Amino acid sequence: MNIIIANSSPDPIYEQICQQIKNAIVKGELTPGDLLPSIRNLARELRISVITSKRAYEELEREGFIETVGGKGTFVSLHNTELLREKRMQLIEEKLTETVMESKILDISLATLHEMLDLLYKEV
Amino acid sequence: MENILEVNNLSKSWPGFNLDQVSFSIPRGYIMGFIGPNGAGKTTTIKLIMNLIHKDSGEIKVFGQDHIRFQKEIRDRIGFVYDEGYFYEHLDIVVIKQIIAPFYSRWDEKAFQQYVREFHIPVKPKFKDLSRGEKMKFSLALALSHNAEFIIMDEPTSGLDPVFRNELLDILADLMQDDTKSILFSTHITSDLQRIADYICFIKQGKIVFCQDMETVLNQHIVVKGPSDILNETTRPLFTGLREHSFGFEAMSRDAAEVSRLMGDRVKIEKVNLEDIMLYTVRGDSRV
């Protein structure tokens, strides 16, 4: 799994970490039961403060993506499929938004876009 | 959370300088960056903690114990790195080590040897022939080789190049893998601390301006740039370190919500870094 922190990003560092770990989970790069680095290890690797990496983990734990087992470490949660599906839907929505925006820039009509989608849906 | 250091209402004054009711604390397991312009009182505060100079009033507790009454025990558990090597300049590092090591009850010779190797500290006939970076590394090796729980560093990076400063951050990050250790790190080179410090304590003219976790500090402040005609009696008080120039103004604010409510799209709002905070806060004063 890669975590890239952009200093230029308007998002706080802990949010960037949360987002990327969530993405890795949704994409299946991280699967339920996978062991995550410890808070202090993550802080050292990314050169961030312990508080920041702790906050990222707290956030992910609150949202049910990860679980900390005392003395053993932090693991990717066994998700209920609904949450995961919801997250994946969100991802699709984001990508479609991107596509629509790109299409508008290129002046592609909704009808043309529909046609393209129909074709692709059958082909893939 | 257990505090490794507690400073309460610490004061010290002499002609031309006044450390005024300074209070802050560091929880065990975290790094605090101590920032402020030269002459703000960083070194004075650190010397007071180490009881190298006497306080006028106030209370200092290290490991929960009074810093004077338990001075001997406390010093044994602190790794202290000065901004200048206070060593015997004409001796070599092996001899200096032999003089210093017996002062510590938990001296770890193996750790010391490992740090000397890791830091590539050359054994030169005289300490004074070492480069500034090498001297600092030696000082650091001593501080880290007696199982200290609390590392205090006064300006360890001043006058050192970015490569060494970066190495030092690696060393500190490694050290923090142990959640029983804490670090107090004073510097005026704020970029060193921006990412690694958990807490930031900002001192100016002997007074604490703020002492908070880094994330809060960075999120609370913004830099605002915009046209001068926005400035009036309502908006001016929102700003610190306001600079007006021929084409507009720039300033720092601690109230992002109010700034965007009053000024909206007419101003540009930017994220701050520690250096901005220091610059604008110090400038804030000089404005009449």
Side-chain angles (χ1 to χ4, degrees), chain B residues 194-213:
Chain B
Q194 177 103 28
R195 279 174 77 165
I196 198 171
D198 297 295
Y199 297 92
I200 285 291
C201 202
F202 181 11
I203 189 168
K204 188 186 81 169
Q205 291 174 340
K207 281 196 173 77
I208 300 286
V209 180
F210 60 75
C211 230
Q212 272 169 320
D213 69 281

Side-chain angles (χ1 to χ4, degrees), chain A residues 8-64:
Chain A
S8 55
S9 162
D11 299 329
I13 292 173
Y14 80 90
E15 237 172 74
Q16 296 184 39
I17 297 170
C18 279
Q19 203 49 53
Q20 292 179 53
I21 291 183
K22 276 190 226 171
N23 286 350
I25 293 173
V26 171
K27 283 182 198 153
E29 285 169 24
L30 283 174
T31 54
D34 279 357
L35 179 66
L36 290 167
S38 74
I39 287 170
R40 281 175 190 271
N41 197 260
L42 185 74
R44 176 177 62 182
E45 293 303 309
L46 296 178
R47 273 289 189 75
I48 56 173
S49 75
V50 172
I51 285 195
T52 303
S53 78
K54 199 169 154 196
R55 179 145 181 212
Y57 274 23
E58 278 166 3
E59 201 80 358
L60 288 167
E61 200 159 354
R62 206 169 47 78
E63 291 178 41

Side-chain angles (χ1 to χ4, degrees), chain B residues 3-60:
Chain B
N3 284 328
I4 208 141
L5 174 70
E6 274 175 51
V7 175
N8 290 313
N9 299 315
L10 180 65
S11 296
K12 170 84 187 174
S13 61
W14 56 70
F17 180 78
N18 194 13
L19 194 71
D20 189 14
Q21 305 269 321
V22 164
S23 298
F24 65 94
S25 59
I26 308 176
R28 193 183 274 276
Y30 293 96
I31 301 183
M32 176 176 279
F34 198 30
I35 64 168
N38 290 327
K42 300 188 295 289
T43 299
T44 303
T45 305
I46 286 176
K47 282 185 175 163
L48 286 166
I49 294 169
M50 292 302 289
N51 199 27
L52 297 171
I53 49 176
H54 295 291
K55 63 191 177 193
D56 292 344
S57 62
E59 184 192 50
I60 301 173

Side-chain angles (χ1 to χ4, degrees), chain B residues 53-116:
Chain B
I53 49 176
H54 295 291
K55 63 191 177 193
D56 292 344
S57 62
E59 184 192 50
I60 301 173
K61 280 183 173 177
V62 188
F63 311 117
Q65 292 175 312
D66 183 81
H67 76 133
I68 297 175
R69 209 140 52 89
F70 295 92
Q71 176 174 314
K72 199 164 166 268
E73 292 90 328
I74 288 170
R75 282 200 186 163
D76 198 29
R77 295 160 70 189
I78 288 182
F80 190 24
V81 182
Y82 289 71
D83 62 342
E84 279 158 46
Y86 283 54
F87 298 115
Y88 309 93
E89 296 266 292
H90 58 286
L91 301 177
D92 71 45
I93 61 167
V94 177
V95 178
I96 295 175
K97 188 263 301 177
Q98 279 164 357
I99 294 170
I100 288 172
F103 285 105
Y104 294 105
S105 68
R106 291 187 290 170
W107 179 261
D108 184 345
E109 183 62 30
K110 235 173 93 185
F112 177 76
Q113 295 300 343
Q114 199 183 328
Y115 281 123
V116 168

